Amino acid sequence: GVISKEVEALKKELDSHGLGTDKVQIEVVGNKAVLKGSVADQATLEKAIVAIGNTMGVEAVETSVAVEAAPDKAEKEPVFYPV
């Protein structure tokens, strides 16, 4: 597909924050930015949404981004290691 200047600008803006969003792809649908790909954790995703949401011309941010450190992994019982 053709990468529009809008998409390039958004990607550059996102990457400029150094959030670890190198695996995130952005699509622009009208005034909406759609984030795809994957991030390391939920905090990174939320920061990415804020960064893109604060960009001129973006009225909504939709995500279908995979979070690698998903909460269900974190919610497991604590593991004790003998020392």
Side-chain angles (χ1 to χ4, degrees):
V2 176
I3 295 180
S4 70
K5 286 185 175 153
E6 274 184 317
V7 171
E8 281 183 23
L10 287 174
K11 182 67 178 148
K12 200 171 181 181
E13 169 65 25
L14 189 55
D15 290 345
S16 75
H17 292 275
L19 302 173
T21 50
D22 48 317
K23 293 185 199 166
V24 174
Q25 290 90 46
I26 303 169
E27 281 179 24
V28 175
V29 184
N31 292 333
K32 182 174 71 176
V34 182
L35 306 186
K36 299 179 176 180
S38 66
V39 292
D41 54 37
Q42 187 66 33
T44 301
L45 176 57
E46 287 169 13
K47 287 175 193 162
I49 292 168
V50 170
I52 293 296
N54 286 339
T55 305
M56 196 71 137
V58 175
E59 291 177 10
V61 180
E62 191 177 290
T63 63
S64 56
V65 175
V67 177
E68 290 165 15
D72 59 345
K73 293 178 189 162
E75 294 299 327
K76 289 183 179 160
E77 291 294 314
V79 178
F80 295 98
Y81 295 96
V83 289

